[in-house]
Amino acid sequence: RRQRQMCIRDRFAPELLNAGLIPVAAVGGSAAITPMKIADASTLLGGDSVSMQMTRGDISLAAAGTVTLRDGDKIYAFGHPFLSLGTAELPMSESSVVTVIPNINNSFKLAVPEALVGSMTQDRATGVFGKLGIAPKMIPVRLNHVNSRGQKDTLNFEVARDDFLTPLLLNITIYNSLTSQERAIGDATVFVDGEIKIAGHEPVKLSRRFTGGQAPIQAAGSVAVPVNTLLRNSFDKLEITGIELELSTVDGAKAATLERITLDRGEIKAGETIELTAFARTNLGRVVSQRIPVTLPQDIPEGPLTLTIGDGASIQKNESIQYFVPNDLSELIATINKIKLADRLYLKLTRTSNGAVIGVSEMPNLPPSVIATLNTDRVSGGSRKATTSEILEMQIAPSEYLISGEQTLTLTVAK
């Protein structure tokens, strides 16, 4: 297999420059993720080239510097901060300098990382510090990409585990994996499926679609954002054991806007099946329709109901999940998996009622005595008033187009 040496695009440069990292393209090396080499008396002596690897394998992203001093199994290098990460855990590898590129503004070396020999554990103002013989904890990533021509490409690589670096590295590697096989300018539609595996917990499921000129960037962000949320949580014992991704790309945009919805009748009964029709206008001006059968619950109350169809972002904007504060890691993972997706349509049937929201728990149709207790003058906060209760919610089967927007109508349940 041929290794992909990262050439960071301009759109990522501000983030990297703010971190003090100037990206340059280098020559390629071996794509194999080799085990750690046992250090000997000649490993990383003063003046030798050393690489701090942020990703290794089929995608390699590393920064090269110079060893200042070796003291037993302790390595002092660079003589300046790398990214000022403080306490860190990055692969420390032997390195070979291919050539030096002279430049009046900023000269730099082209170097190739070689065998892994230890870990960088400190990144401070005076330099970096590492130890030989200590293997860093990495996050394995397997990425399968089917491009618009039907060709499949599989990449296996490891990403450094760091609260700051990991989401950024995933963003960069996934984006570059997509654009290396597809157009970087113009409309495209990207499908993302996969999961983020976490030791001792259910995986975070990934299933998204993106379309338009920013689709590759949004697809990369759909993986980086939940990883960022997990790494920045305040709970202990989080261990991401792997990331599995299935990506596919087609040329052209598949976007549409929800214009109107119609119902086959205005008065319905509990337990009946009604048929809705959603009409959406595509980005090319064509109107497409989708029939949506809905079976009402047997215990649905009589009277007026509000029926809303909209994309996940529109439906979820006023829900209690917006105020969610997790109590543990399992609750955080479960909530991430329940977040409604902006690329899908959802149907929601509600009625007016008196209730409350405590935390993320919606309590509709509460007795007046309970409402009075929650709203007493002696208590402030802890709950919010809820004026609607949910009767039915369902995710509508995905259509060919990514439909956005929201439409609402009122129907009446008769005896």
Side-chain angles (χ1 to χ4, degrees):
R1 292 176 297 171
R2 178 178 59 86
Q3 184 188 40
R4 292 184 180 178
Q5 200 75 15
M6 300 304 300
C7 179
I8 312 304
R9 296 181 179 274
D10 290 341
R11 67 189 69 207
F12 295 113
E15 296 176 63
L16 295 172
L17 290 175
N18 289 337
L21 181 66
I22 300 175
V24 296
V27 296
S30 171
I33 302 175
T34 56
M36 186 171 61
K37 173 185 173 182
I38 298 175
D40 56 30
S42 63
T43 302
L44 295 186
L45 301 178
D48 288 348
S49 179
V50 61
S51 283
M52 304 304 171
Q53 292 184 275
M54 291 169 282
T55 68
R56 56 193 298 257
D58 288 335
I59 298 179
S60 176
L61 201 158
T66 305
V67 176
T68 305
L69 173 69
R70 173 178 171 179
D71 181 13
D73 63 348
K74 301 175 183 177
I75 302 295
Y76 302 86
F78 282 34
H80 56 79
F82 170 42
L83 293 174
S84 294
L85 296 172
T87 301
E89 190 175 11
L90 296 180
M92 183 172 63
S93 302
E94 293 178 310
S95 178
S96 295
V97 176
V98 177
T99 187
V100 176
I101 307 298
N103 187 287
I104 295 176
N105 295 322
N106 179 44
S107 297
F108 58 88
K109 296 174 289 187
L110 294 183
V112 178
E114 296 176 345
L116 174 70
V117 292
S119 295
M120 183 198 85
T121 58
Q122 296 290 328
D123 179 14
R124 302 293 177 175
T126 55
V128 302
F129 170 80
K131 276 197 171 185
L132 299 172
I134 299 176
K137 292 182 179 179
M138 304 286 283
I139 299 175
V141 179
R142 181 178 178 85
L143 188 155
N144 295 317
H145 177 216
V146 179
N147 63 28
S148 58
R149 301 174 300 283
Q151 299 171 337
K152 185 174 181 179
D153 194 15
T154 299
L155 299 174
N156 289 286
F157 57 97
E158 293 179 333
V159 176
R161 190 196 185 285
D162 182 85
D163 293 355
F164 167 73
L165 280 180
T166 303
L168 177 59
L169 295 173
L170 285 170
N171 209 332
I172 293 171
T173 53
I174 295 170
Y175 174 80
N176 278 268
S177 299
L178 288 170
T179 55
S180 66
Q181 296 292 319
E182 296 291 344
R183 63 197 299 177
I185 299 175
D187 291 336
T189 301
V190 181
F191 301 82
V192 180
D193 287 287
E195 61 182 18
I196 302 168
K197 299 178 181 179
I198 302 167
H201 296 274
E202 292 293 319
V204 172
K205 298 293 185 180
L206 302 171
S207 180
R208 299 294 304 272
R209 299 180 299 165
F210 303 93
T211 192
Q214 302 296 312
I217 297 176
Q218 293 170 337
S222 70
V223 182
V225 168
V227 169
N228 182 67
T229 301
L230 291 168
L231 291 175
R232 292 182 180 272
N233 79 85
S234 57
F235 310 118
D236 296 331
K237 298 180 180 179
L238 168 69
E239 182 183 355
I240 299 177
T241 58
I243 299 174
E244 300 277 346
L245 297 174
E246 298 286 339
L247 308 179
S248 59
T249 309
V250 295
D251 283 337
K254 292 283 186 178
T257 302
L258 184 63
E259 284 198 334
R260 61 191 175 96
I261 56 176
T262 62
L263 188 62
D264 59 351
R265 53 189 181 276
E267 191 173 279
I268 57 177
K269 295 182 179 180
E272 284 188 337
T273 298
I274 59 176
E275 187 174 86
L276 290 160
T277 304
F279 296 90
R281 187 174 296 276
T282 71
N283 55 324
L284 298 178
R286 187 164 67 93
V287 176
V288 295
S289 63
Q290 182 177 1
R291 297 185 182 277
I292 307 165
V294 182
T295 301
L296 302 177
Q298 292 287 350
D299 57 349
I300 192 170
E302 298 176 9
L305 299 176
T306 300
L307 187 148
T308 303
I309 291 181
D311 64 85
S314 300
I315 291 290
Q316 195 169 256
K317 61 186 177 183
N318 294 320
E319 291 188 352
S320 59
I321 198 171
Q322 301 289 339
Y323 308 94
F324 171 71
V325 178
N327 293 316
D328 54 41
L329 183 57
S330 296
E331 200 171 85
L332 174 61
I333 294 171
T335 303
I336 293 175
N337 284 330
K338 289 193 301 184
I339 291 176
K340 293 181 175 62
L341 307 178
D343 59 300
R344 311 289 165 85
L345 286 180
Y346 294 82
L347 180 146
K348 196 169 186 178
L349 199 60
T350 59
R351 64 185 286 260
T352 302
S353 68
N354 290 320
V357 176
I358 301 177
V360 294
S361 300
E362 297 184 7
M363 300 182 179
N365 304 319
L366 292 176
S369 58
V370 176
I371 296 292
T373 301
L374 292 174
N375 295 332
T376 177
D377 294 336
R378 294 175 294 170
V379 177
S380 177
S383 65
R384 295 178 295 104
K385 185 177 181 181
T387 57
T388 61
S389 62
E390 182 180 300
I391 304 299
L392 175 67
E393 182 180 280
M394 59 179 283
Q395 179 179 310
I396 299 171
S399 70
E400 178 186 358
Y401 293 88
L402 278 68
I403 302 174
S404 60
E406 181 182 32
Q407 297 292 335
T408 301
L409 54 78
T410 301
L411 50 87
T412 302
V413 177
K415 294 182 180 181

